[in-house]
Amino acid sequence: MRNDRNKEQYRINERINVPEVRLVGENITVGVYSTSKALQMAEDMGFDLVEISPSASPPVCRIIDYQKFLYQQKKRQKEQQAKAIKIVVKEIRFGPQTDDHDYNFKLRHAKEFLEEGAKVKAYVFFKGRSILFKEQGEVLLLRFANDLEEFGKVEQMPVLEGKKMIIMISPISKKGSAAKPAPPKIEKNDI
C-alpha cells in the first residue's frame, strides 16, 4: 500500500497532462519543451519523464529511471528519520512518604536517565486519604529536582493533576548551558 502511494505521488510519462514542461537534469539542455517532445526525449534515452514540481509554472520534469528515483526518495526519508531527535520520557513514581533508601535508589536511576539524554517525569501518586499529604509530595519533588540540578533542568514545576503531582526534568544540553533557571534550593531544615 505504501509503495502504491509513492507511485501516485509523482505523475510520470503519459499521466502528465499539461501542454508544456520545464526539463531539468543531467545530459539534458535545460529549458521549456512541449510535453510530447519531452516524452519522446525520455523514450529515446530509455528513461521515464517524471513530474518533480507540479505547482511550478510550467511544471518541472526530469528524465530519470523512475524506480531508481523512488528508491532514492525512500532512502532519503529513512536518513531523515534516523537523524530526527527521539525524545524518551522515563517515569519515576514516589509515594508521599517515600523513605530515604527508596528515594536515593530512584535518584540514582534518574541521574542515569538524564545522562542518557532522556527526560524524567517524576510523580508522587496519592492513594485514598494520602492526598492530605500533598505538601509533603511537593517538598519531595522539589528536593528531587534540587538533587538533580547538575544533571537536568526543571521543565515544569510540581503540578497536581488528579491524584498525581508531576514534575518534568529535561537533561542539560551537552554544551553545559541550561536554558531555564534552576529550581529553588531547599534546605534540609525545610523537610
Side-chain angles (χ1 to χ4, degrees), residues 11-14 16 23-28 35-51 61-70 72:
R11 292 191 294 186
I12 62 169
N13 298 331
E14 286 76 30
I16 301 171
L23 275 182
V24 296
E26 303 165 10
N27 306 328
I28 298 169
T35 305
S36 57
K37 180 161 171 79
L39 279 169
Q40 186 61 44
M41 289 171 66
E43 193 175 305
D44 292 343
M45 295 173 90
F47 293 118
D48 299 305
L49 181 67
V50 181
E51 188 177 51
C61 294
R62 179 177 270 170
I63 297 176
I64 50 175
D65 180 11
Y66 187 57
Q67 294 302 319
K68 184 177 178 183
F69 173 72
L70 286 178
Q72 289 172 341

Side-chain angles (χ1 to χ4, degrees), residues 13 16 21-22 25-26 44 54-55 58 64 66 89-90 94 99-101 104 121-122 130 133 138 151-153 168 170:
N13 298 331
I16 301 171
V21 294
R22 180 179 306 277
E26 303 165 10
D44 292 343
S55 58
I64 50 175
Y66 187 57
V89 178
K90 300 281 190 168
F94 292 102
D99 60 328
D100 287 338
H101 179 266
N104 291 330
K121 176 181 181 180
S130 67
F133 301 109
E138 186 174 3
F151 299 98
K153 59 182 180 262
M168 287 292 290
S170 59

